[in-house]
Amino acid sequence: MEDIAIDSRDVHPGTLFVALRGEERDGHDYIDDAAVQGACCVVCEKPPEIDIAYVLVSDTHDALAMLAARFCGEPAEKLTMIGVTGTNGKTTTTYLLKQLLEKTKGAKVGLIGTNQNMIGDEILSAERTTPDALSLQKLLSAMVEAGCSHAVMEVSSHALMQKRAAGIRFAVGIFTNLTQDHLDYHGTMEAYCDAKAKLFTACDAAVVNGDDPWTPRLLEGFTGKVTTFGQGLTNDLVAYRPHYENDRVCFAACSDTDHVETYLPIPGAFSLYNALGALAAMQALGVSLPESAKALRTCTGVRGRCEVVPVPADYTVIIDYAHTPDGLKNILAAVCGFAEGRVIAVFGCGGDRDKTKRPRMGRIAAALSDFAVLTSDNPRTEDPYAILREVYSGMADAKTPFAVIEDRREAIRFALRSARRGDVVVLCGKGHETYQIIGTTKYPLDEREVVRACFAKEQRKDAE
């Protein structure tokens, strides 16, 4: 077997063609093309209409995952696998875990996620949060070859529904939270929760946010060891007396046996929960709370997650990936906690995605910012102004001053020109992304460069 193909464009002589059903295309429609190009066998859910060897299965996504794992030598069995799912906090939690494992165990750790993939210190590009089954197994195989002992990965609800990680056994599964997102795909919050719950059917131990109302549903039927974390005193790991500063969150991590003062050098209430989830997972992996809590103090943040952009000004600029109602609420509430002046929020909503969250995000921005700048995120194939009108519908009755500037670069420039001493300008939605999707095309857009260019232009003006 030379390769495993997802659609006929990947086929070359000797290929095993797997006919996957997708949202827009069905691989079964390409079996004829695959045969012409030299496919030797087809894995399918219904008998092909042409004369070709085939294997009939009930679910080709599941079959692809199993074939890919076997083809790559079952690499997950050679690694301690840790999976993180939830709406917000997945990326930061995986980065914290990677650092904690390296600092406490001296381990070489692989990472798979939204921002990038990593094999130890080597950085690899990432096209999606969780790769397709074959790419995932090849990446895990490369980790094994490089000497990794652990792999920490984000496991998205889409990936769970499409069984990209099927057949992988996780030593620990972590649930961060569940808030509105991807309802265009899942339909209801209940279905969204049930998709996340699929991770825990493949976990030996569950580390879950005990303060999240969806946790009981998520764990229905789970029979393994459960560790809860949160601020509620009934949790197994509790954050006691949290204190928020402009560059960190300080708290006492308390379990039945330990009470350890620690901090994470990333501000915000959401950072508290990310830290708790990582510490609880480390306990599940056999590392003592005092040891991991000490290491937590030296952990660093993630690009595009509450990232402070250095600027030659007496105000602060922060970039954050907040693109959901809860994400926007979290970052703005965090900034409200330390801003000396106004909070200026620059935000929008993505096109061709859940429309119901747009007015909610408008209401949140109006409630938690002193000035809001509505702009485009990734409009994709939708009319940008139609998206902005839906966002504005949630702000119409608010008294918060705002501006509507569709061009994102110009919106950022406007926000920076409007900022005064002590203000915090929060650029929400793009985070680590260095592009903007307009239509079906990705155009370069790195907000850090936009900010730097704005100040460079002002400095040239001053010099003249």
Side-chain angles (χ1 to χ4, degrees):
M1 180 166 60
E2 295 181 14
D3 203 352
I4 301 172
I6 295 174
D7 65 50
S8 60
R9 294 172 300 175
D10 300 321
V11 173
H12 53 77
T15 293
L16 172 65
F17 179 75
V18 182
L20 299 178
R21 296 185 189 274
E23 291 182 67
E24 299 178 359
R25 293 187 297 160
D26 185 345
H28 292 80
D29 296 334
Y30 296 87
I31 292 175
D32 288 9
D33 293 341
V36 169
Q37 294 183 49
C40 64
C41 183
V42 174
V43 178
C44 49
E45 295 175 8
K46 60 182 181 181
E49 297 178 355
I50 61 171
D51 184 18
I52 187 173
Y54 68 93
V55 178
L56 202 62
V57 298
S58 59
D59 188 326
T60 51
H61 285 277
D62 196 41
L64 175 60
M66 302 301 179
L67 285 165
R70 181 62 61 86
F71 182 59
C72 294
E74 307 285 358
E77 294 182 0
K78 305 176 181 72
L79 296 162
T80 298
M81 297 295 302
I82 305 155
V84 183
T85 197
T87 306
N88 298 304
K90 296 189 298 297
T91 299
T92 299
T93 301
T94 57
Y95 275 75
L96 291 178
L97 281 167
K98 183 177 189 296
Q99 294 176 76
L100 290 174
L101 287 166
E102 291 167 342
K103 294 173 187 294
T104 62
K105 286 180 170 288
K108 185 169 185 178
V109 184
L111 181 143
I112 301 172
T114 305
N115 276 25
Q116 61 194 16
N117 300 319
M118 299 181 72
I119 301 177
D121 295 329
E122 181 186 0
I123 296 174
L124 307 172
S125 62
E127 292 297 321
R128 59 180 76 178
T129 298
T130 310
D132 65 81
L134 181 56
S135 298
L136 173 59
Q137 293 294 337
K138 287 181 175 178
L139 184 54
L140 293 175
S141 180
M143 291 177 183
V144 172
E145 287 293 319
C148 290
S149 58
H150 296 69
V152 186
M153 63 179 287
E154 296 181 50
V155 190
S156 68
S157 58
H158 289 72
L160 289 162
M161 291 296 291
Q162 295 165 11
K163 301 185 178 180
R164 297 178 207 161
I168 294 176
R169 190 72 192 173
F170 293 90
V172 180
I174 303 164
F175 169 62
T176 59
N177 52 61
L178 195 78
T179 59
Q180 185 177 335
D181 196 19
H182 302 308
L183 294 192
D184 54 314
Y185 183 82
H186 297 290
T188 66
M189 286 296 292
E190 288 75 14
Y192 183 30
C193 179
D194 294 345
K196 296 288 189 187
K198 290 180 182 296
L199 172 64
F200 296 92
T201 64
C203 292
D204 296 328
V207 171
V208 296
N209 182 344
D211 295 344
D212 193 285
W214 290 97
T215 293
R217 182 184 181 104
L218 186 93
L219 292 178
E220 286 180 0
F222 181 73
T223 58
K225 179 177 172 54
V226 176
T227 302
T228 60
F229 63 87
Q231 295 189 70
L233 296 180
T234 58
N235 289 300
D236 299 310
L237 181 64
V238 177
Y240 183 60
R241 292 188 304 187
H243 174 64
Y244 305 101
E245 299 180 11
N246 64 351
D247 64 345
R248 67 187 59 193
V249 55
C250 307
F251 62 99
C254 303
S255 67
D256 289 341
T257 57
D258 295 295
H259 181 106
V260 187
E261 296 288 343
T262 188
Y263 63 84
L264 175 64
I266 308 171
F270 52 89
S271 292
L272 177 66
Y273 277 86
N274 294 337
L276 285 172
L279 291 175
M282 292 298 289
Q283 284 183 296
L285 292 166
V287 179
S288 71
L289 182 58
E291 189 177 2
S292 56
K294 180 181 179 181
L296 184 72
R297 300 174 184 177
T298 61
C299 289
T300 57
V302 181
R303 176 181 170 90
R305 268 64 172 182
C306 202
E307 176 187 350
V308 178
V309 182
V311 294
D314 53 7
Y315 57 83
T316 302
V317 179
I318 289 176
I319 292 176
D320 193 82
Y321 190 47
H323 63 288
T324 67
D326 194 59
L328 185 63
K329 179 181 178 181
N330 284 340
I331 185 62
L332 293 182
V335 172
C336 286
F338 62 76
E340 296 177 1
R342 299 173 302 162
V343 176
I344 301 175
V346 180
F347 79 105
C349 291
D352 301 333
R353 298 293 187 270
D354 181 8
K355 294 185 178 183
T356 65
K357 69 183 182 182
R358 295 171 185 173
R360 286 191 61 200
M361 292 180 67
R363 285 192 292 273
I364 290 167
L368 294 176
S369 68
D370 300 293
F371 184 57
V373 182
L374 279 64
T375 189
S376 281
D377 191 291
N378 291 320
R380 298 184 178 87
T381 63
E382 282 195 67
D383 175 6
Y385 288 100
I387 297 173
L388 290 171
R389 283 192 291 271
E390 291 180 341
V391 176
Y392 168 71
S393 69
M395 304 178 64
D397 298 328
K399 296 181 180 180
T400 304
F402 68 93
V404 179
I405 303 174
E406 188 277 327
D407 184 286
R408 194 169 181 97
R409 285 185 174 82
E410 184 54 40
I412 294 171
R413 287 192 283 265
F414 175 78
L416 296 179
R417 289 196 299 268
S418 303
R420 303 192 293 259
R421 180 183 180 86
D423 289 351
V424 181
V425 179
V426 191
L427 309 182
C428 306
K430 300 300 293 176
H432 62 283
E433 294 179 353
T434 57
Y435 57 83
Q436 186 176 35
I437 305 174
I438 302 174
T440 57
T441 303
K442 283 186 177 181
Y443 295 92
L445 177 62
D446 186 331
E447 294 187 328
R448 298 152 198 80
E449 293 180 2
V450 175
V451 171
R452 285 193 288 268
C454 288
F455 281 98
K457 184 177 181 180
E458 292 302 317
Q459 288 172 347
R460 287 196 298 271
K461 284 184 179 179
D462 292 343
E464 294 171 358

